[in-house]
Amino acid sequence: MNRHAATALMLAACSLSASADQPQKQTPDQRPNIVVIVTDDHSYQTLGTCEKDSPMPYPNFRKLADEGMVFDRSYCANSLCGPSRACIYTGRHSHMNGYLFNEHAAPFDGSQPTFPKMLQKAGYQTAIVGKWHLEAIPPGAKGDTSKYESDPTGFDYWEIFPGQGNYFNPDFITPGKDGKRVVKTEPGYATELVTQKSLKWLDQRDKNKPFMLVVGHKAPHRCWCPSIQNLGRAKQYADAIDPPANLEDDFADRPEFLKMTEQTLLNHFNVWSDEHLIKEVVPEDIQKMLSCPESKTLHTQYDWEMPEWVRMDPQQKEAWYNYHKARTVQLVKDIKNGKIKTQRDILLRRWRHYMEDYLGTVLSVDESIGQIMDYLKQNGLDRNTLVLYCGDQGFYMGEHGLYDKRWIFEESFRMPLIMRWPGHIRPGVRSSAMVQELDYAPTFCDVAGVNTKENMNTFQGRSLTPLFKTGEHQDFKNRSLYYAFYENPGEHNAPRHDGLRTDRYTLSYIWTSDEWMLFDNQKDPAQMHNVINKPEYAETVKELKALYGKLRKDYQVPEGFPGATGKLAVKPQWDCAPSRD
Ligand code: SGN
Ligand code: CA
């Protein structure tokens, strides 16, 4: 038995003796509770909160970081929402859990072992509210889409968004009595609704049992819509930070395929739906100057181009429109008065708008964390609850000129992770151990004392409990992580590639275009130079390729590349905005 399970038993024993002279009939189960707060597309670069002099002082993130442990080198196994979540629940790589892509995939196989199921079986009450995203409804799918749905398994209670979910007045799905899903539209803002529903569930749960709750937020996912009251509130943060030095990356000295990716701020960011410009106030010549090339093919109705717009009620629309109209008018003014002249000027302003909106959505997540922590404290639960905060992958904040994720480059491979559990996890520590989202499931089983051989053997990740004391541990020294991305053809046209991350290097093989890349992250942390063919790295390349083979074998990756059927896409397959009908 590990020390956490032992502590849990000890606490249970204490509560047994304490309850001897109390009237309660039932002894509360003292095993630790688990709260998992998962955001969508939150970048570690903007976690900011953990730095004392951060220009982004999200107070509740900072408190969580101060009271818990921040993992500085936490990575995902597949930088895409659904697949990464499948890795979180199963503790296994995509080729093992079968959920390779967001789109065009079979629905998640909910019959396989997952940590919620293991905890549920061991007597935990389990719930998920908000983002689940383990269904695979292809864009443009018409009619009956039930064959793509996958209801959460291992949860006593679930109330989830369909697919990606919406920011404004979102739909929630619950299981109906007849087994059919019930869909209800709820007035309000997604992050706030998910928080309220999570607190409601906590309040109504059976207080004699330990619980595991997943709080799944939509924020800060595209198209980056802050709540109405937070509109503009993150401008000060956006103004206080500098754009990345490689915002204007020309992709030289990297694999050719990078030039085909459709996720650049300059050419693929949609000025209406992503930057939220209001078309009516942009004269046509300026529209031409601003639009990314692909935007020219888009529909012209604002309703159509800003997918959240159709979700808003008249008051929300008015506030949203007025705010963005003023911002657009300012942009037009700055173009007319010559303040914005060049492509670089346009890019910089676009980046600021992007940051302001993105960081604005995180304000509500910060409020949510505050409310959840307050609830735990007020109800005497905070000491016996492990709170884990994570994103579902990383995200580009303009590094390499990009937004979105998918690539093995550091910013989308790495993800935010904070864990807090008073008395067990040393507060205020920054861990530099190499960890992966596959590790959460075994960690939860470990702390809950359901770390049986049978359970632990199903995982490809490993428990993080040895890191709780100092953030470092012998077992994590020299660890290397395997990564794979499959969704091609797919939105943003990132290629199929896999690879690894060691303490120092990132090695990747691009299956779509048969190219290798190697980054020496110590000398080139921004990953601007592919050194795969540099003679001075020849020995390293040999070693890393051998390690790549070993990792693939250890993780049981099949020959070739899973999911690679038919002709691989080497040409862009999608427009910058997919059709939404
Ligand atoms: C949507 C977004 C993409 C994003 C994917 C996957 N387009 O399709 O930009 O990469 O989700 O994101 S949007 O115009 O519909 O917003 S993920 O987080 O689910 O993996
Ligand atoms: Ca995501």
Side-chain angles (χ1 to χ4, degrees), residues 40-41 79-82 102-103 131 133 164 221-223 274 307 392-393 403-406 491-492 577-578 580:
D40 198 347
D41 292 0
S79 189
L80 199 61
C81 187
N102 266 352
E103 317 286 7
K131 187 103 175 194
H133 206 206
Q164 291 282 8
H221 193 270
R222 196 180 187 187
C223 49
D274 292 330
D392 59 345
Q393 6 74 198
Y403 65 99
D404 211 68
K405 53 262 177 175
R406 297 162 193 264
E491 199 176 0
H492 301 299
R580 292 184 202 283

PDB file of all heavy atoms in Angstrom, residues 40-41 79-82 102-103 131 133 164 221-223 274 307 392-393 403-406 491-492 577-578 580, ligand 1:
ATOM      1  N   ASP A  40      -9.864  24.136 -22.016  1.00  0.00           N
ATOM      2  CA  ASP A  40      -9.689  23.714 -23.401  1.00  0.00           C
ATOM      3  C   ASP A  40      -8.744  24.680 -24.105  1.00  0.00           C
ATOM      4  O   ASP A  40      -9.097  25.846 -24.315  1.00  0.00           O
ATOM      5  CB  ASP A  40     -11.062  23.735 -24.087  1.00  0.00           C
ATOM      6  CG  ASP A  40     -11.066  22.922 -25.352  1.00  0.00           C
ATOM      7  OD1 ASP A  40      -9.978  22.557 -25.826  1.00  0.00           O
ATOM      8  OD2 ASP A  40     -12.165  22.653 -25.869  1.00  0.00           O
ATOM      9  N   ASP A  41      -7.545  24.229 -24.408  1.00  0.00           N
ATOM     10  CA  ASP A  41      -6.574  25.040 -25.164  1.00  0.00           C
ATOM     11  C   ASP A  41      -5.854  26.099 -24.333  1.00  0.00           C
ATOM     12  O   ASP A  41      -5.406  27.115 -24.873  1.00  0.00           O
ATOM     13  CB  ASP A  41      -7.227  25.746 -26.374  1.00  0.00           C
ATOM     14  CG  ASP A  41      -7.674  24.780 -27.458  1.00  0.00           C
ATOM     15  OD1 ASP A  41      -7.477  23.568 -27.289  1.00  0.00           O
ATOM     16  OD2 ASP A  41      -8.196  25.244 -28.480  1.00  0.00           O
ATOM     17  N   SER A  79      -1.679  16.375 -29.373  1.00  0.00           N
ATOM     18  CA  SER A  79      -2.121  17.746 -29.101  1.00  0.00           C
ATOM     19  C   SER A  79      -3.442  18.086 -29.789  1.00  0.00           C
ATOM     20  O   SER A  79      -3.504  18.905 -30.704  1.00  0.00           O
ATOM     21  CB  SER A  79      -1.028  18.719 -29.530  1.00  0.00           C
ATOM     22  OG  SER A  79      -1.347  20.001 -29.094  1.00  0.00           O
ATOM     23  N   LEU A  80      -4.483  17.447 -29.333  1.00  0.00           N
ATOM     24  CA  LEU A  80      -5.827  17.689 -29.849  1.00  0.00           C
ATOM     25  C   LEU A  80      -6.794  17.309 -28.726  1.00  0.00           C
ATOM     26  O   LEU A  80      -6.556  16.339 -27.998  1.00  0.00           O
ATOM     27  CB  LEU A  80      -6.048  16.810 -31.084  1.00  0.00           C
ATOM     28  CG  LEU A  80      -7.161  17.205 -32.034  1.00  0.00           C
ATOM     29  CD1 LEU A  80      -6.934  18.595 -32.619  1.00  0.00           C
ATOM     30  CD2 LEU A  80      -7.267  16.196 -33.177  1.00  0.00           C
ATOM     31  N   CYS A  81      -7.894  18.055 -28.677  1.00  0.00           N
ATOM     32  CA  CYS A  81      -8.792  17.975 -27.530  1.00  0.00           C
ATOM     33  C   CYS A  81      -9.271  16.556 -27.172  1.00  0.00           C
ATOM     34  O   CYS A  81      -8.917  16.011 -26.129  1.00  0.00           O
ATOM     35  CB  CYS A  81      -9.996  18.842 -27.832  1.00  0.00           C
ATOM     36  SG  CYS A  81     -11.123  19.042 -26.500  1.00  0.00           S
ATOM     37  N   GLY A  82     -10.089  15.981 -28.066  1.00  0.00           N
ATOM     38  CA  GLY A  82     -10.669  14.673 -27.762  1.00  0.00           C
ATOM     39  C   GLY A  82      -9.598  13.629 -27.484  1.00  0.00           C
ATOM     40  O   GLY A  82      -9.617  12.950 -26.446  1.00  0.00           O
ATOM     41  N   ASN A 102     -10.067  14.083 -33.551  1.00  0.00           N
ATOM     42  CA  ASN A 102     -11.344  14.701 -33.181  1.00  0.00           C
ATOM     43  C   ASN A 102     -12.410  14.381 -34.223  1.00  0.00           C
ATOM     44  O   ASN A 102     -13.536  14.058 -33.912  1.00  0.00           O
ATOM     45  CB  ASN A 102     -11.209  16.234 -33.201  1.00  0.00           C
ATOM     46  CG  ASN A 102     -10.866  16.813 -31.847  1.00  0.00           C
ATOM     47  OD1 ASN A 102     -10.858  16.113 -30.847  1.00  0.00           O
ATOM     48  ND2 ASN A 102     -10.586  18.098 -31.828  1.00  0.00           N
ATOM     49  N   GLU A 103     -12.002  14.534 -35.469  1.00  0.00           N
ATOM     50  CA  GLU A 103     -12.973  14.421 -36.562  1.00  0.00           C
ATOM     51  C   GLU A 103     -12.819  13.087 -37.284  1.00  0.00           C
ATOM     52  O   GLU A 103     -11.743  12.511 -37.289  1.00  0.00           O
ATOM     53  CB  GLU A 103     -12.748  15.532 -37.596  1.00  0.00           C
ATOM     54  CG  GLU A 103     -12.487  16.900 -37.010  1.00  0.00           C
ATOM     55  CD  GLU A 103     -13.735  17.555 -36.441  1.00  0.00           C
ATOM     56  OE1 GLU A 103     -14.790  16.897 -36.378  1.00  0.00           O
ATOM     57  OE2 GLU A 103     -13.633  18.727 -36.054  1.00  0.00           O
ATOM     58  N   LYS A 131     -17.320  20.182 -20.531  1.00  0.00           N
ATOM     59  CA  LYS A 131     -16.681  19.630 -21.731  1.00  0.00           C
ATOM     60  C   LYS A 131     -16.288  18.159 -21.551  1.00  0.00           C
ATOM     61  O   LYS A 131     -15.532  17.810 -20.648  1.00  0.00           O
ATOM     62  CB  LYS A 131     -15.442  20.465 -22.048  1.00  0.00           C
ATOM     63  CG  LYS A 131     -14.799  20.102 -23.354  1.00  0.00           C
ATOM     64  CD  LYS A 131     -15.117  21.109 -24.420  1.00  0.00           C
ATOM     65  CE  LYS A 131     -14.354  20.800 -25.695  1.00  0.00           C
ATOM     66  NZ  LYS A 131     -14.369  21.906 -26.628  1.00  0.00           N
ATOM     67  N   HIS A 133     -16.330  16.034 -24.883  1.00  0.00           N
ATOM     68  CA  HIS A 133     -15.727  16.046 -26.206  1.00  0.00           C
ATOM     69  C   HIS A 133     -15.111  14.726 -26.662  1.00  0.00           C
ATOM     70  O   HIS A 133     -14.110  14.716 -27.374  1.00  0.00           O
ATOM     71  CB  HIS A 133     -14.664  17.161 -26.305  1.00  0.00           C
ATOM     72  CG  HIS A 133     -14.488  17.628 -27.720  1.00  0.00           C
ATOM     73  ND1 HIS A 133     -13.335  18.193 -28.183  1.00  0.00           N
ATOM     74  CD2 HIS A 133     -15.327  17.557 -28.784  1.00  0.00           C
ATOM     75  CE1 HIS A 133     -13.466  18.465 -29.464  1.00  0.00           C
ATOM     76  NE2 HIS A 133     -14.675  18.092 -29.847  1.00  0.00           N
ATOM     77  N   GLN A 164     -18.053  20.443 -29.149  1.00  0.00           N
ATOM     78  CA  GLN A 164     -17.208  21.529 -28.650  1.00  0.00           C
ATOM     79  C   GLN A 164     -17.897  22.375 -27.583  1.00  0.00           C
ATOM     80  O   GLN A 164     -17.237  23.003 -26.765  1.00  0.00           O
ATOM     81  CB  GLN A 164     -16.817  22.466 -29.809  1.00  0.00           C
ATOM     82  CG  GLN A 164     -15.877  21.870 -30.807  1.00  0.00           C
ATOM     83  CD  GLN A 164     -14.451  21.854 -30.281  1.00  0.00           C
ATOM     84  OE1 GLN A 164     -14.198  22.157 -29.118  1.00  0.00           O
ATOM     85  NE2 GLN A 164     -13.523  21.467 -31.130  1.00  0.00           N
ATOM     86  N   HIS A 221     -11.084  28.137 -25.592  1.00  0.00           N
ATOM     87  CA  HIS A 221     -11.118  27.612 -26.967  1.00  0.00           C
ATOM     88  C   HIS A 221     -11.543  28.676 -27.989  1.00  0.00           C
ATOM     89  O   HIS A 221     -12.219  29.636 -27.636  1.00  0.00           O
ATOM     90  CB  HIS A 221     -12.093  26.420 -27.007  1.00  0.00           C
ATOM     91  CG  HIS A 221     -11.995  25.598 -28.241  1.00  0.00           C
ATOM     92  ND1 HIS A 221     -12.744  25.842 -29.365  1.00  0.00           N
ATOM     93  CD2 HIS A 221     -11.216  24.534 -28.536  1.00  0.00           C
ATOM     94  CE1 HIS A 221     -12.436  24.954 -30.294  1.00  0.00           C
ATOM     95  NE2 HIS A 221     -11.507  24.139 -29.813  1.00  0.00           N
ATOM     96  N   ARG A 222     -11.129  28.447 -29.226  1.00  0.00           N
ATOM     97  CA  ARG A 222     -11.602  29.267 -30.338  1.00  0.00           C
ATOM     98  C   ARG A 222     -13.117  29.349 -30.299  1.00  0.00           C
ATOM     99  O   ARG A 222     -13.751  28.332 -30.023  1.00  0.00           O
ATOM    100  CB  ARG A 222     -11.149  28.607 -31.648  1.00  0.00           C
ATOM    101  CG  ARG A 222     -11.207  29.490 -32.872  1.00  0.00           C
ATOM    102  CD  ARG A 222     -10.739  28.698 -34.069  1.00  0.00           C
ATOM    103  NE  ARG A 222     -10.617  29.532 -35.248  1.00  0.00           N
ATOM    104  CZ  ARG A 222     -10.355  29.039 -36.461  1.00  0.00           C
ATOM    105  NH1 ARG A 222     -10.174  27.739 -36.628  1.00  0.00           N
ATOM    106  NH2 ARG A 222     -10.269  29.833 -37.497  1.00  0.00           N
ATOM    107  N   CYS A 223     -13.833  30.406 -30.523  1.00  0.00           N
ATOM    108  CA  CYS A 223     -13.355  31.652 -31.049  1.00  0.00           C
ATOM    109  C   CYS A 223     -13.184  32.716 -29.963  1.00  0.00           C
ATOM    110  O   CYS A 223     -13.481  33.883 -30.204  1.00  0.00           O
ATOM    111  CB  CYS A 223     -14.263  32.117 -32.159  1.00  0.00           C
ATOM    112  SG  CYS A 223     -16.003  32.078 -31.716  1.00  0.00           S
ATOM    113  N   ASP A 274     -12.630  35.231 -35.778  1.00  0.00           N
ATOM    114  CA  ASP A 274     -11.551  35.060 -34.804  1.00  0.00           C
ATOM    115  C   ASP A 274     -11.122  36.386 -34.178  1.00  0.00           C
ATOM    116  O   ASP A 274     -10.912  36.475 -32.984  1.00  0.00           O
ATOM    117  CB  ASP A 274     -10.323  34.408 -35.462  1.00  0.00           C
ATOM    118  CG  ASP A 274     -10.582  32.965 -35.870  1.00  0.00           C
ATOM    119  OD1 ASP A 274     -11.390  32.308 -35.200  1.00  0.00           O
ATOM    120  OD2 ASP A 274      -9.981  32.499 -36.853  1.00  0.00           O
ATOM    121  N   PRO A 307     -19.718  32.341 -35.042  1.00  0.00           N
ATOM    122  CA  PRO A 307     -20.658  31.287 -34.650  1.00  0.00           C
ATOM    123  C   PRO A 307     -21.314  31.511 -33.288  1.00  0.00           C
ATOM    124  O   PRO A 307     -22.419  31.034 -33.055  1.00  0.00           O
ATOM    125  CB  PRO A 307     -19.798  30.025 -34.650  1.00  0.00           C
ATOM    126  CG  PRO A 307     -18.386  30.475 -34.731  1.00  0.00           C
ATOM    127  CD  PRO A 307     -18.380  31.827 -35.337  1.00  0.00           C
ATOM    128  N   ASP A 392      -6.019  20.821 -21.942  1.00  0.00           N
ATOM    129  CA  ASP A 392      -6.095  19.519 -22.624  1.00  0.00           C
ATOM    130  C   ASP A 392      -4.950  19.351 -23.614  1.00  0.00           C
ATOM    131  O   ASP A 392      -4.731  18.276 -24.138  1.00  0.00           O
ATOM    132  CB  ASP A 392      -7.461  19.295 -23.289  1.00  0.00           C
ATOM    133  CG  ASP A 392      -7.798  20.364 -24.311  1.00  0.00           C
ATOM    134  OD1 ASP A 392      -7.137  21.427 -24.334  1.00  0.00           O
ATOM    135  OD2 ASP A 392      -8.736  20.136 -25.098  1.00  0.00           O
ATOM    136  N   GLN A 393      -4.249  20.406 -23.908  1.00  0.00           N
ATOM    137  CA  GLN A 393      -2.989  20.429 -24.660  1.00  0.00           C
ATOM    138  C   GLN A 393      -2.472  21.844 -24.549  1.00  0.00           C
ATOM    139  O   GLN A 393      -3.053  22.655 -23.844  1.00  0.00           O
ATOM    140  CB  GLN A 393      -3.100  20.032 -26.132  1.00  0.00           C
ATOM    141  CG  GLN A 393      -4.396  19.791 -26.772  1.00  0.00           C
ATOM    142  CD  GLN A 393      -5.296  20.947 -27.104  1.00  0.00           C
ATOM    143  OE1 GLN A 393      -6.451  20.717 -27.303  1.00  0.00           O
ATOM    144  NE2 GLN A 393      -4.825  22.178 -27.162  1.00  0.00           N
ATOM    145  N   TYR A 403      -1.476  30.215 -34.353  1.00  0.00           N
ATOM    146  CA  TYR A 403      -2.438  29.943 -33.292  1.00  0.00           C
ATOM    147  C   TYR A 403      -2.736  28.441 -33.394  1.00  0.00           C
ATOM    148  O   TYR A 403      -2.115  27.736 -34.192  1.00  0.00           O
ATOM    149  CB  TYR A 403      -3.695  30.817 -33.431  1.00  0.00           C
ATOM    150  CG  TYR A 403      -4.527  30.538 -34.669  1.00  0.00           C
ATOM    151  CD1 TYR A 403      -5.663  29.735 -34.600  1.00  0.00           C
ATOM    152  CD2 TYR A 403      -4.152  31.054 -35.914  1.00  0.00           C
ATOM    153  CE1 TYR A 403      -6.417  29.469 -35.734  1.00  0.00           C
ATOM    154  CE2 TYR A 403      -4.896  30.783 -37.043  1.00  0.00           C
ATOM    155  CZ  TYR A 403      -6.031  29.988 -36.952  1.00  0.00           C
ATOM    156  OH  TYR A 403      -6.774  29.709 -38.078  1.00  0.00           O
ATOM    157  N   ASP A 404      -3.676  27.946 -32.579  1.00  0.00           N
ATOM    158  CA  ASP A 404      -4.015  26.515 -32.535  1.00  0.00           C
ATOM    159  C   ASP A 404      -2.858  25.675 -31.959  1.00  0.00           C
ATOM    160  O   ASP A 404      -2.021  26.195 -31.226  1.00  0.00           O
ATOM    161  CB  ASP A 404      -4.481  25.991 -33.899  1.00  0.00           C
ATOM    162  CG  ASP A 404      -5.498  24.853 -33.741  1.00  0.00           C
ATOM    163  OD1 ASP A 404      -6.624  25.120 -33.265  1.00  0.00           O
ATOM    164  OD2 ASP A 404      -5.162  23.694 -34.048  1.00  0.00           O
ATOM    165  N   LYS A 405      -2.880  24.377 -32.259  1.00  0.00           N
ATOM    166  CA  LYS A 405      -1.965  23.437 -31.561  1.00  0.00           C
ATOM    167  C   LYS A 405      -1.469  22.387 -32.540  1.00  0.00           C
ATOM    168  O   LYS A 405      -0.895  22.674 -33.550  1.00  0.00           O
ATOM    169  CB  LYS A 405      -2.696  22.800 -30.373  1.00  0.00           C
ATOM    170  CG  LYS A 405      -4.019  22.157 -30.712  1.00  0.00           C
ATOM    171  CD  LYS A 405      -5.165  23.042 -30.417  1.00  0.00           C
ATOM    172  CE  LYS A 405      -6.465  22.387 -30.829  1.00  0.00           C
ATOM    173  NZ  LYS A 405      -7.607  23.187 -30.440  1.00  0.00           N
ATOM    174  N   ARG A 406      -1.584  21.118 -32.222  1.00  0.00           N
ATOM    175  CA  ARG A 406      -1.317  19.980 -33.130  1.00  0.00           C
ATOM    176  C   ARG A 406       0.154  19.613 -33.286  1.00  0.00           C
ATOM    177  O   ARG A 406       0.503  18.465 -33.197  1.00  0.00           O
ATOM    178  CB  ARG A 406      -1.934  20.235 -34.525  1.00  0.00           C
ATOM    179  CG  ARG A 406      -3.445  20.337 -34.435  1.00  0.00           C
ATOM    180  CD  ARG A 406      -4.074  21.009 -35.642  1.00  0.00           C
ATOM    181  NE  ARG A 406      -5.460  21.339 -35.362  1.00  0.00           N
ATOM    182  CZ  ARG A 406      -6.490  20.610 -35.698  1.00  0.00           C
ATOM    183  NH1 ARG A 406      -6.326  19.520 -36.392  1.00  0.00           N
ATOM    184  NH2 ARG A 406      -7.701  20.964 -35.364  1.00  0.00           N
ATOM    185  N   GLU A 491      -8.575  19.949 -40.179  1.00  0.00           N
ATOM    186  CA  GLU A 491      -8.561  21.402 -40.086  1.00  0.00           C
ATOM    187  C   GLU A 491      -7.141  21.869 -39.721  1.00  0.00           C
ATOM    188  O   GLU A 491      -6.464  21.220 -38.916  1.00  0.00           O
ATOM    189  CB  GLU A 491      -9.549  21.808 -38.988  1.00  0.00           C
ATOM    190  CG  GLU A 491      -9.985  23.234 -39.068  1.00  0.00           C
ATOM    191  CD  GLU A 491     -11.041  23.544 -38.006  1.00  0.00           C
ATOM    192  OE1 GLU A 491     -11.409  22.640 -37.229  1.00  0.00           O
ATOM    193  OE2 GLU A 491     -11.484  24.698 -37.957  1.00  0.00           O
ATOM    194  N   HIS A 492      -6.703  22.935 -40.287  1.00  0.00           N
ATOM    195  CA  HIS A 492      -5.383  23.556 -40.044  1.00  0.00           C
ATOM    196  C   HIS A 492      -4.218  22.807 -40.707  1.00  0.00           C
ATOM    197  O   HIS A 492      -3.083  23.242 -40.640  1.00  0.00           O
ATOM    198  CB  HIS A 492      -5.090  23.732 -38.546  1.00  0.00           C
ATOM    199  CG  HIS A 492      -6.096  24.571 -37.833  1.00  0.00           C
ATOM    200  ND1 HIS A 492      -6.315  25.879 -38.168  1.00  0.00           N
ATOM    201  CD2 HIS A 492      -6.945  24.298 -36.812  1.00  0.00           C
ATOM    202  CE1 HIS A 492      -7.266  26.376 -37.371  1.00  0.00           C
ATOM    203  NE2 HIS A 492      -7.667  25.435 -36.553  1.00  0.00           N
ATOM    204  N   ALA A 577     -11.852  28.545 -42.717  1.00  0.00           N
ATOM    205  CA  ALA A 577     -13.013  28.261 -41.872  1.00  0.00           C
ATOM    206  C   ALA A 577     -13.809  27.162 -42.550  1.00  0.00           C
ATOM    207  O   ALA A 577     -14.227  27.312 -43.697  1.00  0.00           O
ATOM    208  CB  ALA A 577     -13.877  29.477 -41.694  1.00  0.00           C
ATOM    209  N   PRO A 578     -14.003  26.040 -41.855  1.00  0.00           N
ATOM    210  CA  PRO A 578     -14.746  24.961 -42.484  1.00  0.00           C
ATOM    211  C   PRO A 578     -16.218  25.340 -42.616  1.00  0.00           C
ATOM    212  O   PRO A 578     -16.700  26.180 -41.872  1.00  0.00           O
ATOM    213  CB  PRO A 578     -14.588  23.815 -41.497  1.00  0.00           C
ATOM    214  CG  PRO A 578     -14.286  24.467 -40.203  1.00  0.00           C
ATOM    215  CD  PRO A 578     -13.592  25.745 -40.502  1.00  0.00           C
ATOM    216  N   ARG A 580     -20.009  25.382 -42.101  1.00  0.00           N
ATOM    217  CA  ARG A 580     -20.688  25.104 -40.840  1.00  0.00           C
ATOM    218  C   ARG A 580     -22.106  24.590 -41.032  1.00  0.00           C
ATOM    219  O   ARG A 580     -22.918  24.656 -40.136  1.00  0.00           O
ATOM    220  CB  ARG A 580     -20.750  26.370 -39.989  1.00  0.00           C
ATOM    221  CG  ARG A 580     -19.423  26.804 -39.496  1.00  0.00           C
ATOM    222  CD  ARG A 580     -19.573  28.002 -38.597  1.00  0.00           C
ATOM    223  NE  ARG A 580     -18.336  28.722 -38.522  1.00  0.00           N
ATOM    224  CZ  ARG A 580     -17.306  28.338 -37.789  1.00  0.00           C
ATOM    225  NH1 ARG A 580     -17.384  27.274 -37.049  1.00  0.00           N
ATOM    226  NH2 ARG A 580     -16.207  29.039 -37.791  1.00  0.00           N
TER     227      ARG A 580
HETATM  228  C1  SGN B   1     -12.537  23.594 -33.974  1.00  0.00           C
HETATM  229  C2  SGN B   1     -11.744  24.870 -34.276  1.00  0.00           C
HETATM  230  C3  SGN B   1     -10.312  24.555 -34.646  1.00  0.00           C
HETATM  231  C4  SGN B   1      -9.697  23.647 -33.611  1.00  0.00           C
HETATM  232  C5  SGN B   1     -10.532  22.408 -33.466  1.00  0.00           C
HETATM  233  C6  SGN B   1     -10.011  21.406 -32.488  1.00  0.00           C
HETATM  234  N1  SGN B   1     -12.365  25.594 -35.367  1.00  0.00           N
HETATM  235  O1  SGN B   1     -12.793  22.863 -35.127  1.00  0.00           O
HETATM  236  O2  SGN B   1      -9.602  25.765 -34.763  1.00  0.00           O
HETATM  237  O3  SGN B   1      -8.388  23.299 -33.969  1.00  0.00           O
HETATM  238  O4  SGN B   1     -11.825  22.798 -33.048  1.00  0.00           O
HETATM  239  O5  SGN B   1      -9.901  21.973 -31.210  1.00  0.00           O
HETATM  240  S1  SGN B   1     -13.694  26.474 -35.101  1.00  0.00           S
HETATM  241  O6  SGN B   1     -13.717  27.497 -36.146  1.00  0.00           O
HETATM  242  O7  SGN B   1     -14.825  25.578 -35.182  1.00  0.00           O
HETATM  243  O8  SGN B   1     -13.588  27.060 -33.768  1.00  0.00           O
HETATM  244  S2  SGN B   1      -9.919  21.008 -29.994  1.00  0.00           S
HETATM  245  O9  SGN B   1      -9.551  21.783 -28.817  1.00  0.00           O
HETATM  246  O10 SGN B   1     -11.239  20.478 -29.903  1.00  0.00           O
HETATM  247  O11 SGN B   1      -8.945  19.973 -30.270  1.00  0.00           O
END
